[in-house]
Amino acid sequence: MSTSNPNILLIYTGGTIGMVKDFKTGALKAFDFKTLLDKIPEIQLLDCKIDTVSFKKPIDSSDMDPKYWIQIADIIEENYKNFDGFVVLHGSDTMSYTASALSFMLENLAKPVVFTGSQLPIGDLRTDAKENLITSIQVASLQEKGKPIIKEVCLYFEYKLYRANRTTKINAEHFQAFASLNYPDLAESGVHLKINNEYLFKPNIRKKFVVHKDLDKNIALIKVFPGISKTVFTSIFSIPNLKAVIIETYGAGNSTTKKWFIDILKENISKGIHIINITQCSGGSVMMGQYETSSELKRIGVISGKDITTEAAIGKLMYLLGQNISRKAFKTNYETSLRGEIN
Ligand code: ASP
């Protein structure tokens, strides 16, 4: 452990963690960040120096948009040299989307970026916010020989630290709101904070930290279902400026073999639209060619999302489209693990 106290930047974007009940309507809404810190005097006992920065207008994360991802990336970029770690307070609803996108935007990240939030506001007697916030700060402060132990974007919630781009919000009721079904937990907080070193992302720290902000939103996401009609499918592909479509298929990447379905995909691939196959299952992977129902997809050039989450598939797609790379490089990159998001 380093002898000097790490500098941590706390970035507040909004979410339940900092909300209060509106007197009139009873609905939860964001409130002033300074008040949030007053609610947790314990923070002053931590072995680190904490600075804070807040979105001018904190948001409920259901209003999240890539323009806010860029805002978070900007804050991290501007403060990268002066801080040892970053903790981002974010609503849980879209936390996995934001944290996944940031993992692609922050290339060669050599410091921890820990996303956290809570299911109950910090002022609530039964709140889960204090533990989530305090342990996230501790995780971001972990050092060995003066260097951060964690060098990736992660998500801490209810005693578990996950690789962010492997997470999904799975529960709107339980304090354990997130799961990472295709990758082991990075750490677990019990009596001791147990870090699973073998699962941590090991970036090439000699490479320069680069922040990517060109994100292309001209994409669509289709979840197939038994009975999906040709009309619905065709109308999505007629969206102007569409560049890529993620299709959530069944099981190991299977879909209907109906001729119209394959024909529409084939036609759009030939027009230069990227089609990505990901699975509706929370765990497991797309394996095109394993069943006859996916062989044709592979043959016509559909890209395999492998075991990527929907949240990471979206961030990776917007990021790669923004890179303006050749069609071939796009497919190779999408099917390659860039930030530990696929196996
Ligand atoms: N609606 C809230 C949000 O995502 C829920 C939460 O923070 O847990 O901002």
Side-chain angles (χ1 to χ4, degrees), residues 14-17 19 59-62 90-94 118-119 169:
T16 298
I17 193 160
M19 287 185 179
I59 56 163
D60 184 301
S61 81
S62 312
H90 192 289
S92 64
D93 287 347
T94 61
S118 64
Q119 291 280 55
K169 183 170 179 183

Side-chain angles (χ1 to χ4, degrees), residues 122-136:
I122 205 132
D124 195 291
L125 261 185
R126 295 175 52 252
T127 191
D128 51 331
K130 284 191 187 185
E131 201 285 319
N132 285 348
L133 177 55
I134 288 170
T135 310
S136 293

Side-chain angles (χ1 to χ4, degrees), residues 157-263:
F157 222 87
E158 191 65 4
Y159 302 104
K160 286 195 172 166
L161 182 73
Y162 311 97
R163 173 165 301 154
N165 58 32
R166 293 296 195 141
T167 61
T168 302
K169 183 170 179 183
I170 46 136
N171 206 303
E173 166 70 22
H174 295 166
F175 285 139
Q176 184 149 11
F178 290 88
S180 164
L181 288 167
N182 284 333
Y183 198 74
D185 307 335
L186 302 182
E188 196 167 350
S189 169
V191 174
H192 299 102
L193 189 55
K194 188 176 169 292
I195 308 290
N196 298 322
N197 281 300
E198 67 274 36
Y199 299 127
L200 299 180
F201 190 68
K202 315 227 167 27
N204 183 346
I205 48 171
R206 268 169 297 176
K207 284 197 172 165
K208 201 174 163 284
F209 175 56
V210 189
V211 183
H212 300 277
K213 298 175 201 168
D214 289 324
L215 303 173
D216 195 326
K217 294 198 286 181
N218 290 302
I219 66 169
L221 169 67
I222 308 175
K223 181 172 188 154
V224 297
F225 55 90
I228 187 169
S229 70
K230 184 178 172 187
T231 325
V232 166
F233 210 61
T234 319
S235 65
I236 289 174
F237 282 97
S238 64
I239 296 169
N241 298 324
L242 189 71
K243 303 231 178 80
V245 178
I246 298 172
I247 305 185
E248 266 193 16
T249 56
Y250 311 121
N254 309 312
S255 68
T256 173
T257 47
K258 287 197 182 92
K259 191 172 175 306
W260 63 260
F261 182 84
I262 302 293
D263 284 349

Side-chain angles (χ1 to χ4, degrees), residues 23-305:
F23 281 125
K24 281 190 206 138
T25 64
L28 287 169
K29 56 173 196 189
F31 80 128
D32 182 28
F33 184 57
K34 294 279 173 232
T35 334
L36 172 82
L37 286 187
D38 291 346
K39 295 245 178 357
I40 327 178
E42 295 94 325
I43 280 193
Q44 277 139 31
L45 303 173
L46 291 165
D47 285 336
C48 57
K49 286 181 241 124
I50 301 170
D51 268 328
T52 58
V53 50
S54 169
F55 272 15
K56 265 204 191 90
K57 197 173 171 301
I59 56 163
D60 184 301
S61 81
S62 312
D63 271 328
M64 195 36 75
D65 183 275
K67 76 173 181 207
Y68 296 118
W69 298 346
I70 295 170
Q71 222 171 298
I72 299 169
D74 276 336
I75 297 174
I76 294 173
E77 186 177 32
E78 279 159 25
N79 294 283
Y80 193 69
K81 286 210 175 75
N82 298 327
F83 288 86
D84 300 295
F86 302 86
V87 173
V88 184
L89 299 179
H90 192 289
S92 64
D93 287 347
T94 61
M95 193 187 295
S96 291
Y97 288 91
T98 303
S100 297
L102 261 292
S103 77
F104 298 108
M105 295 165 76
L106 308 177
E107 189 176 5
N108 305 323
L109 179 70
K111 299 185 178 186
V113 174
V114 186
F115 276 76
T116 197
S118 64
Q119 291 280 55
L120 285 176
I122 205 132
D124 195 291
L125 261 185
R126 295 175 52 252
T127 191
D128 51 331
K130 284 191 187 185
E131 201 285 319
N132 285 348
L133 177 55
I134 288 170
T135 310
S136 293
I137 297 172
Q138 283 182 326
V139 164
S141 307
L142 290 172
Q143 296 197 339
E144 196 174 53
K145 296 187 187 131
K147 297 265 185 277
I149 291 181
I150 288 157
K151 305 176 195 75
E152 62 180 299
V153 181
C154 34
L155 188 154
Y156 182 82
F157 222 87
E158 191 65 4
Y159 302 104
K160 286 195 172 166
L161 182 73
Y162 311 97
R163 173 165 301 154
N165 58 32
R166 293 296 195 141
T167 61
T168 302
K169 183 170 179 183
I170 46 136
N171 206 303
E173 166 70 22
H174 295 166
F175 285 139
Q176 184 149 11
F178 290 88
S180 164
L181 288 167
N182 284 333
Y183 198 74
D185 307 335
L186 302 182
E188 196 167 350
S189 169
V191 174
H192 299 102
L193 189 55
K194 188 176 169 292
I195 308 290
N196 298 322
N197 281 300
E198 67 274 36
Y199 299 127
L200 299 180
F201 190 68
K202 315 227 167 27
N204 183 346
I205 48 171
R206 268 169 297 176
K207 284 197 172 165
K208 201 174 163 284
F209 175 56
V210 189
V211 183
H212 300 277
K213 298 175 201 168
D214 289 324
L215 303 173
D216 195 326
K217 294 198 286 181
N218 290 302
I219 66 169
L221 169 67
I222 308 175
K223 181 172 188 154
V224 297
F225 55 90
I228 187 169
S229 70
K230 184 178 172 187
T231 325
V232 166
F233 210 61
T234 319
S235 65
I236 289 174
F237 282 97
S238 64
I239 296 169
N241 298 324
L242 189 71
K243 303 231 178 80
V245 178
I246 298 172
I247 305 185
E248 266 193 16
T249 56
Y250 311 121
N254 309 312
S255 68
T256 173
T257 47
K258 287 197 182 92
K259 191 172 175 306
W260 63 260
F261 182 84
I262 302 293
D263 284 349
I264 294 172
L265 294 181
K266 216 189 314 183
E267 185 195 320
N268 280 282
I269 290 173
S270 69
K271 278 196 224 153
I273 301 210
H274 305 282
I275 312 283
I276 294 129
N277 185 2
I278 67 170
T279 173
Q280 297 182 7
C281 296
S282 329
S285 181
V286 162
M287 284 186 281
M288 285 191 285
Q290 192 190 26
Y291 289 88
E292 213 180 0
T293 42
S294 66
S295 300
E296 197 56 11
L297 299 180
K298 187 175 181 178
R299 209 188 54 77
I300 64 173
V302 169
I303 299 168
S304 175

